[in-house]
Amino acid sequence: MKSKTFSITLLTFLMVVFTGITSIYAQQFSRQDTLRGSITAERAWWDLTYYHLSVAVEISGRRISGSNLIQYRVLDSHQTMQIDLQKPLVISRITQNSKALNFRRVGSAFFIEIEEEQIPGDINEITVYYSGKPVVAARPPWDGGFTWAQDSNGKPFVATSNQGIGASVWWPNKDHPYDEPDSMLISITTSDTLMDVSNGRLRGVDEPGDGTKTWHWFVSNPINNYGVNINIADYVHFSEKYDGKKGTLDLDYYVLRENEEKARKQFKQVKPMMDAFEHWFGPYPFYEDGYKLVEAPYLGMEHQSSVTYGNGYQNGYLGRDLSGSGWGLTFDFIIIHETGHEWFANNITYADVADMWVHEGFTNYSESLYLDYHHGETAANEYVQGLRLGIQNDRPLIGNYGVNQRGSNDMYNKGGNLLHTLRQVLNNDELWRETLQGLNREFYHQTVTSREVEEYISKKSGRDLTFFFDQYLRDTRIPTLEYAFRDGRLFYRWANAIEGFNMPVDVAINGVARRLEPTTTMYSTNIEELEKNILTIDPNYYVGSFNLLGN
């Protein structure tokens, strides 16, 4: 399992309340939302240790069938277990020690009656057998499921993606992010003319001579369930080695046969990317499982140690620069962004989807840090500032806890700008780098809450950042520096902010650089008065400004 340092009760039922807002506006949630998004009593008593997922993929009928062996450690005595699997897939039987168990279905949740006494400390296992036609992804990877496609030669090109909809859309599991297995074996059976690529390292391939092959992939590190994937195609494979901070890292690439030449050129970006990310974040978190880029029939996804790629072998985001700065066309967005998730999403994983900004905010900012490393501070600044045009400020970045509800899509661009602003607040790039690396050490292979991340950064910085995070994560307003010049003094304060908000800000007053420490109370300071007084704010801060006197 990943370490869990939070209170289950607190995580499940906390509704964070702040001045003028509740964590996301009033909304109705169903029992299914709670069963999916909360740590129910039927989940809390057992801790995942291992999965062996075995799935046969029948491409012609778009069907799957198989089983999942679920090994767990008993934490408290309890006899009912919750496992999740979404319709139209069905569970045919569940066994423990070869004995069939009774179970009942409530929507996507299955409640299993365990017959043998569950003694705390024991390690037990059940096996779930299932089959059916899985949901076809409507808009992968955002609206996920199975994607059934073909390559240019008419051969099958099949993949899974399921972050939003949930891993239980295609395999039975404990479908809540707070708990992860310590390791996992993924066995995928398909046509012997095709290859499956999943997470981790290939242990072996069974060839029974019946027209099928079974590919066995072993993941030796904790893995979030949405990061588990199937990729089936007529792949070609090439590889290289990366001399990284923890030794030699295997870089493996699986692409459609017709795209090998393009891939060999485009994937040259991987090593420079690793240089940048290991510099800022510390060692790649999964040396034992290697790193793979796998071509997929959709845009891409951060599947752990098996990053999927579908950006058309071009720079930018499908050839576009999302920042409008020009710098977004200097790198392949999907390679850089999705790999950034190996640190923030796969190494450090949210314990509740409400805190998804921890994944997307830090990874959005990884794009800027990549530019900083290879092109310099100006490029990085222009890129992250350019992303502000995409910020809506429609809802807070933190969602509702316990109901599988994420916050605003601003978690990407606003999350990145939040972190860029925080970098200016710290005003010490070595401390900033050590903070990012420290997060990946402190929460190595763990599930976390946003609060834990916030408190770590506050402690590391030596500054209480409570108001900072509450403002940018849990409120939609952008702080505005109100100011006025009068009688040789500058008056200033933060407005459009939560009560008590405080944050230093770098400004130029009549061309002279100064750092102010505004709060929501009006302060003043002496200035060298000129006929025309001018104040400008460092544009790296995501804030507004307003001259109260308009002079």
Side-chain angles (χ1 to χ4, degrees):
M1 68 169 181
K2 284 197 176 182
S3 299
K4 299 176 287 294
T5 59
F6 50 85
S7 161
I8 287 176
T9 302
L10 180 64
L11 177 63
T12 305
F13 299 106
L14 179 65
M15 296 296 287
V16 186
V17 180
F18 291 91
T19 304
I21 61 167
T22 302
S23 173
I24 302 287
Y25 308 116
Q27 188 170 342
Q28 296 297 315
F29 295 99
S30 68
R31 186 185 180 198
Q32 281 299 307
D33 294 325
T34 301
L35 289 176
R36 169 74 189 284
S38 65
I39 305 172
T40 61
E42 293 78 15
R43 283 171 169 160
W45 66 270
W46 57 285
D47 167 46
L48 275 170
T49 57
Y50 174 75
Y51 283 134
H52 178 193
L53 176 63
S54 179
V55 181
V57 180
E58 181 192 328
I59 296 174
S60 60
R62 297 191 172 185
R63 293 181 57 85
I64 60 174
S65 61
S67 64
N68 189 21
L69 182 151
I70 303 170
Q71 186 185 85
Y72 61 95
R73 179 180 293 103
V74 180
L75 302 178
D76 293 300
S77 297
H78 207 288
Q79 299 301 127
T80 305
M81 172 184 286
Q82 179 182 340
I83 293 295
D84 306 285
L85 184 67
Q86 297 179 36
K87 295 178 179 179
L89 298 175
V90 296
I91 292 177
S92 57
R93 62 191 175 103
I94 303 173
T95 63
Q96 185 167 69
N97 294 326
S98 301
K99 295 181 181 179
L101 301 177
N102 292 323
F103 58 90
R104 60 188 176 89
R105 182 170 200 164
V106 181
S108 297
F110 287 77
F111 294 96
I112 306 161
E113 299 303 324
I114 307 293
E115 293 184 358
E116 297 182 7
E117 182 182 3
Q118 301 298 290
I119 301 171
D122 283 0
I123 294 180
N124 300 326
E125 59 188 43
I126 65 169
T127 303
V128 180
Y129 299 87
Y130 77 108
S131 62
K133 288 190 173 184
V135 169
V136 175
R139 185 172 171 258
W142 301 279
D143 190 355
F146 259 78
T147 297
W148 309 90
Q150 292 183 336
D151 65 17
S152 62
N153 296 315
K155 292 190 175 182
F157 191 16
V158 179
T160 59
S161 57
N162 50 251
Q163 181 178 17
I165 198 169
S168 58
V169 75
W170 67 273
W171 62 286
N173 64 89
K174 190 179 194 177
D175 203 358
H176 191 287
Y178 87 102
D179 193 11
E180 299 179 359
D182 300 324
S183 59
M184 182 173 185
L185 179 62
I186 305 165
S187 301
I188 305 300
T189 301
T190 189
S191 166
D192 61 6
T193 63
L194 303 170
M195 176 187 298
D196 170 70
V197 182
S198 293
N199 315 78
R201 293 189 183 274
L202 184 62
R203 270 194 169 175
V205 182
D206 294 339
E207 301 184 52
D210 62 355
T212 68
K213 286 183 180 179
T214 300
W215 301 78
H216 300 283
W217 296 88
F218 183 70
V219 182
S220 61
N221 290 293
I223 183 170
N224 57 61
N225 64 0
Y226 85 80
V228 177
N229 69 343
I230 290 175
N231 301 284
I232 297 173
D234 180 27
Y235 286 122
V236 293
H237 168 240
F238 60 98
S239 64
E240 56 184 338
K241 305 287 186 181
Y242 174 70
D243 184 16
K245 289 187 178 295
K246 284 182 66 175
T248 301
L249 175 63
D250 293 321
L251 307 175
D252 288 282
Y253 310 117
Y254 295 85
V255 301
L256 295 183
R257 195 168 298 278
E258 63 263 32
N259 291 328
E260 181 179 0
E261 184 177 350
K262 294 178 184 177
R264 286 184 179 273
K265 178 180 178 181
Q266 192 73 0
F267 291 178
K268 288 180 179 179
Q269 295 187 33
V270 171
K271 281 187 174 183
M273 171 192 64
M274 287 293 180
D275 288 339
F277 287 169
E278 288 209 332
H279 169 82
W280 284 108
F281 303 146
Y284 173 75
F286 308 107
Y287 270 71
E288 302 85 355
D289 293 325
Y291 170 85
K292 295 190 291 295
L293 265 182
V294 187
E295 187 169 0
Y298 58 88
L299 186 59
M301 190 72 199
E302 69 262 26
H303 301 107
Q304 186 172 309
S305 71
S306 180
V307 174
T308 46
Y309 176 86
N311 199 40
Y313 300 98
Q314 59 191 324
N315 283 355
Y317 180 96
L318 293 174
R320 295 183 291 117
D321 174 11
L322 297 180
S323 75
S325 67
W327 292 109
L329 295 177
T330 64
F331 62 89
D332 189 312
F333 178 92
I334 292 301
I335 294 176
I336 305 306
H337 179 90
E338 303 305 342
T339 303
H341 276 306
E342 293 283 45
W343 284 264
F344 292 95
N346 297 336
N347 184 37
I348 301 173
T349 307
Y350 54 54
D352 189 295
V353 71
D355 290 332
M356 189 173 172
W357 88 272
V358 174
H359 291 199
E360 299 301 349
F362 280 92
T363 303
N364 175 280
Y365 197 49
S366 76
E367 302 155 25
S368 174
L369 294 175
Y370 168 86
L371 286 169
D372 190 300
Y373 185 86
H374 287 292
H375 297 280
E377 187 176 343
T378 298
N381 293 345
E382 290 177 356
Y383 180 82
V384 73
Q385 291 168 28
L387 294 176
R388 291 173 187 170
L389 287 176
I391 299 175
Q392 301 297 312
N393 288 313
D394 57 343
R395 294 185 294 143
L397 301 194
I398 301 287
N400 279 304
Y401 292 95
V403 288
N404 191 52
Q405 200 237 19
R406 53 186 279 179
S408 168
N409 280 338
D410 282 347
M411 69 179 73
Y412 294 83
N413 295 336
K414 186 176 179 180
N417 270 277
L418 174 165
L419 294 169
H420 191 59
T421 299
L422 183 54
R423 181 180 181 180
Q424 316 314 311
V425 170
L426 298 188
N427 196 31
N428 182 332
D429 277 357
E430 280 307 305
L431 175 60
W432 181 233
R433 180 184 171 202
E434 175 55 32
T435 299
L436 295 172
Q437 292 185 1
L439 283 167
N440 280 281
R441 289 193 303 268
E442 180 76 11
F443 302 114
Y444 184 73
H445 291 177
Q446 293 184 32
T447 58
V448 302
T449 65
S450 179
R451 285 295 191 195
E452 289 176 306
V453 171
E454 296 164 41
E455 289 168 4
Y456 177 87
I457 296 174
S458 286
K459 182 179 179 180
K460 193 74 174 176
S461 70
R463 184 184 187 98
D464 185 356
L465 296 168
T466 301
F467 289 104
F468 175 88
F469 285 116
D470 287 349
Q471 181 68 54
Y472 282 98
L473 293 175
R474 300 176 178 90
D475 199 292
T476 59
R477 294 170 293 174
I478 297 306
T480 298
L481 183 68
E482 292 185 340
Y483 67 94
F485 294 98
R486 175 176 287 174
D487 301 328
R489 298 188 67 81
L490 169 70
F491 294 82
Y492 60 93
R493 69 184 173 199
W494 286 121
N496 201 42
I498 62 175
E499 186 63 32
F501 176 72
N502 60 84
M503 181 179 74
V505 61
D506 295 304
V507 301
I509 303 170
N510 298 327
V512 178
R514 292 185 65 170
R515 170 164 277 217
L516 303 178
E517 292 274 355
T519 70
T520 49
T521 300
M522 185 71 79
Y523 290 95
S524 68
T525 185
N526 289 321
I527 61 167
E528 181 184 354
E529 188 172 21
L530 301 177
E531 181 178 348
K532 182 70 172 178
N533 292 304
I534 299 174
L535 180 147
T536 57
I537 298 176
D538 182 342
N540 290 303
Y541 288 81
Y542 182 46
V543 298
S545 65
F546 181 72
N547 186 339
L548 290 166
L549 298 181
N551 55 7

